[in-house]
Amino acid sequence: MKRRALLTLPLATPLLANPFLAAPGLAQSWAPTRPVRVIAGWPAGGSADASLRLVAPHMQTVLGQNVVIENRGGASGSIGAGVVAQAAPDGQTLLFDAAGQVSNPLLMRGLSFDYLTAFAPVCLFALLPNVLCVRAETPVRSVPELVAYLRANPGQPYASTGIGLASHLAAVMFTQRERLEVTHVPYRASQQSIPGLLGGETLFTFNTTPLVVPLIRDGRLRALAVATPRRIPTLPETPTMLELGYDGFSLNEWIALFAPAGTPAPAIARHAEAAQAGLADPVVRERHANLGMDIQALGPADFAQFLTEQRARIGALIRDNNIRLES
């Protein structure tokens, strides 16, 4: 099934120190010799693509070379990832990817590469908080009211952006804790799941801020909770699932930069420096905030730690719930 590669990561303290950049000589000892290709694992357009295109001009300044973005969408980002997995590890080709790095190896068979060994983490760009939403006309104004409605009306449909992705896993966590009987309706992309919700095909969804916040502000959707450890600036009145008593409930999407495995450490450090320079720009930060994104700008070591934690956490969710693409 074609799914949009997305993100699942708890919100972190912003701008953790990057140990590579603590030693500037490491990054400065390498420079690209020609334009740098960045393969994005989804079609052009959308919030993730916007993030990369906001940061790319700043990367060009640091690298001293053009940054050429190529969108290779399809198959949950695995098409673009496959291109980079086969690229020479010389620092000239990068991958802009998301939670497919975590979920794809657990859900997809017959890949020509191994996600665990094919890529090196460069920089975690940002998190996209997940929001639990219903359409405004629904007679549900809070999470307890949603639970009561679902108990009284078993089998209600909910929308996700694809099997095994953040919106699906968040709904699984929620409905399992409440022991609710619901029907999963997976869409092929986030953008497709929203019309289904607005049109009454589904009752609720967990979906990311760039898609749902404009509709919440327009009065077409109602936010019930956010799946983040703390409230988010774009929806300051909306409680977290943690506040509502759902211990450990944090499941968000993310976007990040990778290099082919074997890329020299100085090249990875230089690319991390370039990306962090863009993410530190005040205009870029403001634009990300307007899109509902929480900039992280984590360098290789901190990002690698997050990946390890996420693979363990998301892997347990997928395995424990026997989630399969064909389910």
Side-chain angles (χ1 to χ4, degrees), residues 121-145:
V122 175
C123 181
L124 175 65
F125 271 43
L127 309 180
L128 286 69
N130 264 318
V131 184
L132 174 55
C133 297
V134 296
R135 65 184 183 281
E137 296 83 4
T138 303
V140 169
R141 308 193 70 85
S142 67
V143 173
E145 288 185 10

Side-chain angles (χ1 to χ4, degrees), residues 33-68:
T33 58
R34 60 185 185 276
V36 174
R37 298 170 67 208
V38 181
I39 307 297
W42 46 78
S47 53
D49 195 58
S51 173
L52 177 58
R53 292 177 188 278
L54 285 169
V55 173
H58 299 273
M59 293 180 64
Q60 292 181 163
T61 299
V62 174
L63 297 172
Q65 289 282 354
N66 288 335
V67 172
V68 180

Side-chain angles (χ1 to χ4, degrees), residues 7-13 124 127 227-230 242 248-254 294 296 298 306 309-310 313-314:
L7 352 259
T8 50
L9 194 66
L11 289 171
T13 52
L124 175 65
L127 309 180
T228 54
R230 59 181 183 272
L242 294 172
F249 201 113
S250 177
L251 197 61
N252 303 284
E253 300 187 355
W254 52 264
D294 185 8
Q296 300 297 295
L298 300 188
F306 274 116
E309 294 168 354
Q310 284 302 293
R313 185 169 182 238
I314 300 308

Side-chain angles (χ1 to χ4, degrees), residues 16-20 121-123 268 272 298-308:
L16 296 182
N18 180 349
F20 281 85
V122 175
C123 181
I268 289 176
L298 300 188
D302 292 318
F303 182 25
Q305 179 182 343
F306 274 116
L307 280 174
T308 298

